[in-house]
Amino acid sequence: MRRPQRGTLRDVRRGNRSLLLRTLYFGHELSRHDLSRLTGLSPATVSNVVGDLIADGIVVEAGAVDSDGGRPRTLLRVQESYGYVVGVDVGETRVRLELFDLSMTEKAKAEYALEPRRHEPSVVVDHILTGLRSVLADAGVDESQVLGIGIGVPGIVEQRPELLIHARAFGWNGVPLGDRLRAGTAIPIFADNGAQTMGQAELWFGAGVGARHVVMTLIGTGVGASIITDGATYRGVSSSAGEWGHTTIAVNGRACRCGGVGCLEAYVGAEAILASHGAGHLPGGDEESALAAMLTDPAARPVLDEAVAFLGAGLGNLINLFNPERIIVGGWAGLLLGRALLPEIRAAAARHALAQPMAQVSIELGRLGPEAVALGAATLVVEDFLLRSGTPRHA
């Protein structure tokens, strides 16, 4: 039998550094005393690690605050200009890029339209690389200052070294997106499902702050979800967990674009709602304007009532399965529906959920807007940076 491996002193130091850096990042401005109290590390350890972080330029002093009967305590914060991160939202009708500093303040953005029925990998890769050059030039940032590029995509992301993307709606089956992008940039690449990245953004900065058990739903042209249990995203064996839109809601029901029948997406996705109303496929992919118009059209009420009923059933299933404390409705279509019909959606969910878990959950709208996919994608890079205790991957 092999003996368990004991952590080396270097491992302990790296762990302490990561813990302190993460605590300071989310605490914004803290003193050394605060860091010792929040992490349980000794004042001497905190002082040594903070000294290293300041020497590396990752942490800076941010003024002082009075203490009880003693000398003022120096406040510390993460230096927002230490590095930059890029978030990319690969959607059905657009590719959107945003450049952020480490405080997640947007520095530049770029957006490129996609033909709704054309999503060849080469087209998406070209848009990402063109957008990368654009946002760096607009912000005056050198590529060497970028810690990573995070990408939110529809479909399943296999977290192998080559990042294989399976996006049925795009016709992608095992597309090595990371390898294709690395042909045009040396910046580290990260990727995840768009619902997962939106969920992380809302958990860090939006409607999920303070919650430990959350389901983030993304309703746009398609439908997905991010399941967060005890503060961590549940991914399943091959990172395909969260395909809520392709759970069966009606046996022998409508055909879904995934090839199945009776999927939730075939009833509550924007494309499905518009098709039920007779709008069909819209030139230019302007589904958002069409859905907004439906919400003010009395003649569309039966179609919307049906969508709310199916959405309520889908939410009830999530409540019964996962017993979350919070469900967040997001995505551009989810926000449009929620702003107009949230009481009806809550009532529909209550009709399909068990009384006890329903009484324990709140159903809320996302606070970060449809752009949360790109913001959440950028947090993939920040998460890696914090876990690596502030050491860039390409250092």
Side-chain angles (χ1 to χ4, degrees):
M1 180 184 293
R2 293 182 61 187
R3 294 183 179 179
Q5 295 293 314
R6 300 183 66 181
T8 65
L9 182 59
R10 183 178 180 181
D11 293 333
V12 172
R13 287 175 175 167
R14 185 184 296 114
N16 289 342
R17 181 175 164 119
S18 179
L19 175 60
L20 280 172
L21 185 57
R22 187 179 187 89
T23 303
L24 184 57
Y25 183 82
F26 288 104
H28 302 297
E29 291 188 354
L30 299 171
S31 68
R32 289 171 176 81
H33 175 80
D34 294 329
L35 288 170
S36 180
R37 174 176 54 83
L38 292 169
T39 63
L41 297 175
S42 70
T45 297
V46 169
S47 181
N48 288 335
V49 174
V50 166
D52 290 342
L53 290 169
I54 290 175
D56 290 342
I58 300 172
V59 168
V60 294
E61 295 184 348
V65 63
D66 290 337
S67 61
D68 297 331
R71 293 183 302 173
R73 291 174 179 161
T74 301
L75 293 176
L76 306 163
R77 63 174 170 81
V78 174
Q79 173 62 281
E80 63 273 8
S81 62
Y82 175 78
Y84 298 85
V85 296
V86 175
V88 183
D89 175 8
V90 178
E92 306 231 8
T93 60
R94 66 178 185 175
V95 174
R96 179 186 180 90
L97 294 90
E98 296 182 64
L99 176 71
F100 303 92
D101 64 19
L102 282 179
S103 71
M104 303 313 291
T105 299
E106 183 189 280
K107 296 297 181 181
K109 62 184 176 182
E111 187 170 309
Y112 305 92
L114 287 171
E115 289 290 335
R117 301 303 182 194
R118 292 193 60 198
H119 301 96
E120 291 90 344
S122 59
V123 173
V124 172
V125 168
D126 285 346
H127 283 328
I128 292 174
L129 293 176
T130 299
L132 175 63
R133 292 189 291 270
S134 175
V135 296
L136 293 181
D138 289 348
V141 171
D142 188 79
E143 185 171 308
S144 64
Q145 297 174 273
V146 180
L147 302 175
I149 301 169
I151 306 170
V153 297
I156 298 168
V157 180
E158 284 193 75
Q159 299 290 343
R160 299 181 182 183
E162 61 268 31
L163 285 174
L164 298 181
I165 314 298
H166 305 270
R168 189 70 178 264
F170 284 11
W172 292 10
N173 183 23
V175 172
L177 187 62
D179 283 351
R180 288 176 178 249
L181 287 168
R182 277 189 282 271
T185 179
I187 299 173
I189 307 295
F190 304 79
D192 208 341
N193 175 272
Q196 308 283 17
T197 68
M198 176 177 279
Q200 182 149 304
E202 291 284 355
L203 189 68
W204 280 23
F205 308 115
V209 170
R212 302 290 296 172
H213 300 273
V214 181
V215 177
M216 176 76 211
T217 67
L218 188 159
I219 305 170
T221 301
V223 175
S226 175
I227 301 155
I228 297 159
T229 60
D230 200 22
T233 300
Y234 177 74
R235 300 185 180 280
V237 174
S238 60
S239 298
S240 71
E243 288 292 334
W244 177 54
H246 300 293
T247 55
T248 301
I249 203 76
V251 176
N252 298 322
R254 292 178 188 166
C256 180
R257 59 186 183 155
C258 76
V261 294
C263 295
L264 180 66
E265 183 175 299
Y267 294 87
V268 305
E271 185 176 271
I273 295 173
L274 292 170
S276 294
H277 188 50
H281 176 62
L282 299 168
D286 192 15
E287 295 175 333
E288 188 167 351
S289 296
L291 184 58
M294 277 186 67
L295 290 166
T296 61
D297 180 3
R301 189 67 200 208
V303 173
L304 294 172
D305 287 344
E306 179 189 63
V308 167
F310 278 103
L311 178 55
L315 294 175
N317 289 339
L318 291 174
I319 292 167
N320 292 339
L321 280 170
F322 298 107
N323 187 206
E325 61 189 290
R326 203 171 297 171
I327 289 179
I328 302 168
V329 177
W332 66 264
L335 291 173
L336 280 175
L337 292 168
R339 288 166 187 154
L341 301 167
L342 189 58
E344 291 90 335
I345 292 170
R346 287 171 172 156
R351 288 195 293 272
H352 295 279
L354 295 171
Q356 183 186 16
M358 184 67 204
Q360 296 169 333
V361 69
S362 64
I363 300 175
E364 306 175 13
L365 296 183
R367 297 178 188 169
L368 302 177
E371 288 72 31
V373 172
L375 175 64
T379 69
L380 299 177
V381 184
V382 177
E383 178 75 16
D384 179 78
F385 178 70
L386 297 176
L387 286 173
R388 293 171 64 82
S389 63
T391 303
R393 268 184 190 268
H394 48 61

